Amino acid sequence: MFWKFDLNNTSHIDQLLDREGVTLRELMEEEDVLQECKAQNRKLLLFLSKDHCMQELVTLITEEPPADLEEKTRFKFPNIACELLTSDVALINDKLGGDESLLEKLYHFLEQEPPLNPLLASFFSKTIGNLIARKTDQVISFLRKKHNFISLVLNHIDASAMMDLLLRLISCVEPAPLRMEVLNWLNEERLIQRLTELMHTGRDEERQSNASQTLCDIIRLSRDQANQLSEVTEPDPLLAVLESQENVAELLKNMFEGERTEASVVNGTQVLLTLLESRRSGLEGLMDLYSQGCERSYTVNSSILCAIEPHLKDFQQLLLNPPTRSAILTTVGVLEQPLGSARLHVARLVASLLQTCDLSICQEICRLNTMDLLLDLFFKYSWNNFLHLQVELCVASILNHSENLIPLFQHCRLVQRILDAWEENDKNQAEGGRRRGNMGHLTRIANTVVQNLEKGLAHSQMNDLIKELPEDCRGRWESFVGETLRETNRRNTVDLVSTHNLHSSSEDDDMESPFPNDLSIQQAFSDYQIQQMTANFVDQFGFNDEEFSEHDENINAAFDRIAEINFNIDANAAAFEACCKERIQQFDDCEEEEDIWDEKEINYATQIKSRSRYSTWMIYSSWTASFGDTEVSSSSSWGGPPQEGGEGPQDTSWSSFTDCIMLLMTLFGLCLNYGNTFISVYPLTFTLQHRVQPD
């Protein structure tokens, strides 16, 4: 019975608490102290909430432990103290949030000189963040009395934990009226302007990066919360400042004043890109240009674009003269002048600006010949697919603007560049070289041009521009579209299963294994390789849930797809038959009867066949089974033979039953794995047959 086992042991912590003079450190040495705390152990909670214990817990997470302690145990007690303080127990929350002396002790941690210990900073941030969510009124009231709170937090912004603290103030305060009070307080403290100032080129790179990430997170959080509100409320003051023309202009000024470092360009551009994400519906918006044009493009606050436009020439200059970078070794050789993150972010910014469909912005980009420079980089850095995608998006955006087409076809010579690059790649491959890394994106660009020529928003003007090409170029283009590009598209859409079928019928395959190749993985890869990347792609990726549903109406769903797989059976049938005859031992019905209770070694002969492309397990063991009128039997695994002539009682031992089930499971697995076939069982052989399709 259950009470025979001592499953209700009293915790050793209770025994310690019963002892007079027990210390907090002794309790923290116990492995289950945190578990007991979260389990609302009353005696433990009363002890922890004592004044001297709470003071000691706060001290542990705010003061550096002695340096002479062993490193692996130095932060053991601070970590346990943080977990206890943030265990979300009402008694501890009430004590910590209601005792101003404890809050003062916590706040004193911010008054240290930078840099803070990153681990202690994370303990501090987690503890304050828990109080903001659980004891909101008390903590917000306390912090608002501290006039230097925001200054101290920004002074330590190089610690990522301070970023988390600011974001908790913005996102974890409830209810809505109190949250708006906090936002107005932070706005009065000029939080956004101070973070923008940290983006100056002369600032420390770590501080720049954390300030940039904080601004990006504030933008996304503010927009998400605004979208979730069902009723109209007053606008978010922090977001209003972030989107204002004055603040964006200040950000750009800080980026380009003084020496232009890669860090300042990248961090500042990330904020601009986040501002340009407004109202974009996930990842679908990224490729909308290919199918629906700019009418479905997202909208952006015009003040942001007005602030960016005067600085487009500065971004253009970055493409021409980027911050210097040393040579790097890549898988295709040494790159003397890498593209760099600065130029890649400029390309991302140009693509985002073009997708806004703002006429003034697009005209300025065309006037500066920015696309000509990006195309130069596209062909120069033929292995940088991150750049290739951005250039592809730029081309797709311009093709939807009739007023911006002329520079792309005349000055940038898009058609000629496509043809020249294709011919150079073909020549390079013919000489034994490798295919260039940008050919996939170049194929997509060429297809985008063709699609817009046929049914794009500006197809008539595009056709006129094609007709204006020199006669030899026009002829090359028509030949390229009608032959080369069409053949490339055909090859790119070839079903992988079809090519695999050709290989699976080779002589080598026939000799190695009697089984057809397992195409299920190939089919799955083929299915999902062509899926579009959408916002819910992660939820949809993988097999359809219905294929594994246990409902009666869907039980045949997996079998219905078997007919879609096709491979040659004839080439493998003979080898399969031969292998089965070789592997399955012939049954001897003439052996004398033995005592089934004699001790005898049980031997299951298991044959395993593996290959690099797939693995198939074939299990053969002694078995007894009856299929219709045909009886197939062998000696029992216990050593006893069947009765001669099929007379006498059949062996019904559990061993025989298990073997039979094992065999049936093996056959069932083969039916699942090997397509539109089934396996019939006869006395001594297996025959692989085509499944008969119903009329």
Side-chain angles (χ1 to χ4, degrees):
M1 305 298 288
F2 290 109
W3 52 80
K4 289 173 59 178
F5 306 97
D6 188 12
L7 300 177
N8 193 25
N9 288 334
T10 304
S11 172
H12 186 56
I13 289 179
D14 289 337
Q15 299 175 15
L16 285 175
L17 291 170
D18 290 336
R19 197 183 72 193
E20 187 175 353
V22 65
T23 65
L24 177 63
R25 293 294 181 105
E26 288 179 299
L27 289 171
M28 294 174 71
E29 287 283 3
E30 296 297 318
E31 294 182 356
D32 59 344
V33 62
L34 182 59
Q35 178 183 345
E36 288 294 314
C37 179
K38 292 183 177 181
Q40 307 284 334
N41 184 319
R42 187 67 180 173
K43 292 170 64 177
L44 176 61
L45 294 181
L46 289 175
F47 181 85
L48 292 177
S49 60
K50 290 181 179 180
D51 289 343
H52 73 278
C53 288
M54 294 297 295
Q55 289 285 343
E56 187 174 354
L57 289 172
V58 173
T59 299
L60 283 170
I61 67 169
T62 55
E63 294 184 7
E64 193 94 14
D68 58 350
L69 293 178
E70 190 176 357
E71 190 63 31
K72 65 180 181 180
T73 60
R74 189 168 175 232
F75 289 94
K76 173 185 175 180
F77 289 116
N79 181 59
I80 297 174
C82 176
E83 294 298 322
L84 290 172
L85 291 172
T86 59
S87 57
D88 203 14
V89 175
L91 189 60
I92 295 179
N93 289 339
D94 293 342
K95 183 67 176 180
L96 188 57
D99 190 332
E100 191 156 330
S101 65
L102 294 174
L103 293 176
E104 287 286 355
K105 194 173 186 67
L106 273 172
Y107 187 80
H108 180 67
F109 178 77
L110 290 174
E111 296 174 339
Q112 303 177 60
E113 289 296 320
L116 297 175
N117 181 290
L119 196 54
L120 292 181
S122 68
F123 296 155
F124 167 82
S125 176
K126 185 176 180 180
T127 304
I128 291 290
N130 179 71
L131 290 176
I132 290 173
R134 301 304 180 192
K135 308 298 292 182
T136 308
D137 290 329
Q138 296 94 319
V139 176
I140 295 299
S141 176
F142 173 80
L143 294 178
R144 293 188 67 173
K145 295 176 185 177
K146 302 294 183 180
H147 300 295
N148 61 343
F149 171 66
I150 298 298
S151 299
L152 291 175
V153 171
L154 295 180
N155 193 39
H156 299 295
I157 197 66
D158 55 322
S160 59
M162 297 300 107
M163 298 167 46
D164 298 335
L165 178 56
L166 288 175
L167 295 177
R168 283 180 179 272
L169 280 171
I170 295 171
S171 62
C172 295
V173 175
E174 296 291 343
L178 181 57
R179 175 179 175 273
M180 189 56 63
E181 288 184 19
V182 172
L183 294 179
N184 287 324
W185 165 51
L186 295 176
N187 189 44
E188 292 169 2
E189 294 289 329
R190 303 184 74 252
L191 173 63
I192 301 302
Q193 292 88 335
R194 291 184 181 186
L195 286 170
T196 302
E197 176 60 28
L198 292 174
M199 304 291 296
H200 196 278
T201 55
R203 298 286 186 176
D204 175 73
E205 289 188 7
E206 191 67 27
R207 297 169 68 82
Q208 281 187 42
S209 177
N210 286 353
S212 170
Q213 188 60 53
T214 304
L215 289 172
C216 292
D217 289 340
I218 291 174
I219 294 169
R220 295 189 178 104
L221 280 172
S222 299
R223 287 175 175 169
D224 289 344
Q225 290 181 337
N227 292 334
Q228 292 170 4
L229 293 177
S230 56
E231 56 186 26
V232 179
T233 59
E234 56 182 304
D236 188 316
L238 299 183
L239 184 59
V241 173
L242 274 164
E243 292 182 335
S244 67
Q245 185 171 346
E246 296 77 14
N247 190 73
V248 178
E250 184 67 21
L251 172 65
L252 288 160
K253 176 186 174 184
N254 292 336
M255 286 172 58
F256 292 111
E257 268 191 355
E259 182 183 0
R260 299 179 183 181
T261 63
E262 186 167 83
S264 63
V265 172
V266 170
N267 293 321
T269 305
Q270 284 178 342
V271 178
L272 297 176
L273 288 169
T274 307
L275 287 169
L276 295 174
E277 286 177 358
S278 177
R279 296 178 180 87
R280 188 196 309 225
S281 57
L283 293 175
E284 294 99 329
L286 190 64
M287 306 304 292
D288 273 350
L289 295 167
Y290 291 104
S291 57
Q292 299 172 358
C294 284
E295 298 89 352
R296 294 291 302 278
S297 182
Y298 55 91
T299 58
V300 175
N301 194 320
S302 59
S303 61
I304 300 172
L305 300 176
C306 291
I308 292 176
E309 184 176 346
H311 289 275
L312 286 176
K313 61 180 183 297
D314 295 317
F315 289 106
Q316 173 91 347
Q317 193 62 30
L318 282 172
L319 293 176
L320 293 169
N321 299 303
T324 57
R325 288 175 59 101
S326 57
I328 61 174
L329 179 63
T330 70
T331 55
V332 292
V334 177
L335 196 58
E336 295 294 341
Q337 187 182 10
L339 175 72
S341 295
R343 287 195 285 188
L344 178 59
H345 276 73
V346 172
R348 291 180 60 195
L349 180 64
V350 173
S352 294
L353 289 171
L354 288 172
Q355 290 176 52
T356 64
C357 303
D358 183 82
L359 180 60
S360 179
I361 287 285
C362 294
Q363 288 179 340
E364 180 66 10
I365 290 175
C366 288
R367 188 187 68 80
L368 292 170
N369 296 324
T370 305
M371 274 307 303
D372 195 36
L373 285 176
L374 289 176
L375 285 170
D376 288 342
L377 296 175
F378 178 92
F379 293 109
K380 179 179 179 180
Y381 296 96
S382 60
W383 299 101
N384 194 317
N385 291 154
F386 298 104
L387 171 66
H388 303 157
L389 174 61
Q390 302 308 320
V391 176
E392 180 188 347
L393 293 174
C394 290
V395 172
S397 299
I398 293 176
L399 291 178
N400 286 282
H401 292 273
S402 58
E403 61 276 2
N404 298 323
L405 288 173
I406 296 177
L408 184 63
F409 282 88
Q410 293 184 350
H411 182 76
C412 297
R413 301 173 64 251
L414 177 63
V415 171
Q416 292 91 326
R417 289 197 186 199
I418 292 174
L419 295 173
D420 292 343
W422 207 285
E423 291 169 0
E424 289 177 10
N425 178 73
D426 288 346
K427 180 182 178 182
N428 184 54
Q429 284 189 283
E431 294 174 353
R434 67 178 65 185
R435 185 173 184 263
R436 291 181 179 175
N438 57 6
M439 292 304 295
H441 287 281
L442 190 64
T443 302
R444 289 161 61 97
I445 290 174
N447 282 323
T448 303
V449 173
V450 173
Q451 292 167 11
N452 280 273
L453 278 169
E454 295 174 353
K455 54 182 179 181
L457 297 176
H459 66 94
S460 58
Q461 186 174 2
M462 286 182 62
N463 279 282
D464 292 339
L465 290 171
I466 293 295
K467 292 176 182 178
E468 294 175 4
L469 293 173
E471 185 175 352
D472 62 330
C473 181
R474 190 168 63 252
R476 289 168 60 201
W477 172 254
E478 293 173 354
S479 175
F480 169 77
V481 172
E483 299 174 7
T484 307
L485 185 59
R486 177 176 296 179
E487 174 62 18
T488 300
N489 291 334
R490 187 194 66 79
R491 289 200 311 268
N492 288 342
T493 55
V494 169
D495 191 349
L496 290 178
V497 175
S498 299
T499 59
H500 188 76
N501 287 340
L502 296 176
H503 179 72
S504 65
S505 61
S506 67
E507 180 181 356
D508 180 67
D509 285 345
D510 293 341
M511 295 299 294
E512 258 189 85
S513 171
F515 291 99
N517 286 321
D518 187 355
L519 303 183
S520 57
I521 298 178
Q522 286 274 14
Q523 182 65 53
F525 177 74
S526 177
D527 289 345
Y528 293 111
Q529 189 186 37
I530 61 174
Q531 285 192 90
Q532 290 190 356
M533 184 73 74
T534 60
N536 58 346
F537 176 79
V538 175
D539 297 329
Q540 294 179 346
F541 185 81
F543 290 100
N544 192 316
D545 289 341
E546 292 184 357
E547 296 183 24
F548 298 93
S549 174
E550 295 182 358
H551 297 292
D552 292 339
E553 61 269 23
N554 295 322
I555 195 168
N556 292 321
F559 291 95
D560 291 340
R561 296 187 60 191
I562 290 177
E564 301 173 9
I565 306 176
N566 183 29
F567 53 83
N568 186 3
I569 297 298
D570 297 334
N572 294 295
F576 178 78
E577 190 87 12
C579 182
C580 289
K581 290 181 179 180
E582 176 185 349
R583 296 297 184 186
I584 300 179
Q585 299 294 328
Q586 298 293 330
F587 305 127
D588 185 1
D589 293 337
C590 299
E591 295 180 5
E592 296 182 0
E593 184 175 358
E594 298 180 13
D595 186 358
I596 63 172
W597 301 111
D598 285 346
E599 293 186 4
K600 194 170 185 177
E601 180 182 358
I602 300 175
N603 181 22
Y604 293 92
T606 303
Q607 302 293 334
I608 301 174
K609 188 77 172 177
S610 63
R611 293 185 58 187
S612 59
R613 293 192 305 275
Y614 67 95
S615 295
T616 304
W617 290 72
M618 299 179 290
I619 304 176
Y620 304 103
S621 64
S622 54
W623 53 277
T624 301
S626 177
F627 298 90
D629 297 331
T630 303
E631 181 181 86
V632 183
S633 60
S634 75
S635 60
S636 167
S637 59
W638 296 100
Q643 298 294 329
E644 293 185 8
E647 298 178 358
Q650 296 294 327
D651 183 2
T652 58
S653 67
W654 283 109
S655 175
S656 298
F657 178 79
T658 304
D659 293 340
C660 184
I661 293 300
M662 183 182 298
L663 175 67
L664 291 176
M665 291 177 64
T666 303
L667 298 179
F668 182 71
L670 293 174
C671 289
L672 290 180
N673 286 330
Y674 298 113
N676 59 341
T677 64
F678 70 85
I679 295 176
S680 298
V681 181
Y682 291 96
L684 297 178
T685 61
F686 292 79
T687 303
L688 195 65
Q689 300 177 337
H690 288 280
R691 187 178 68 173
V692 180
Q693 297 290 346
D695 294 335

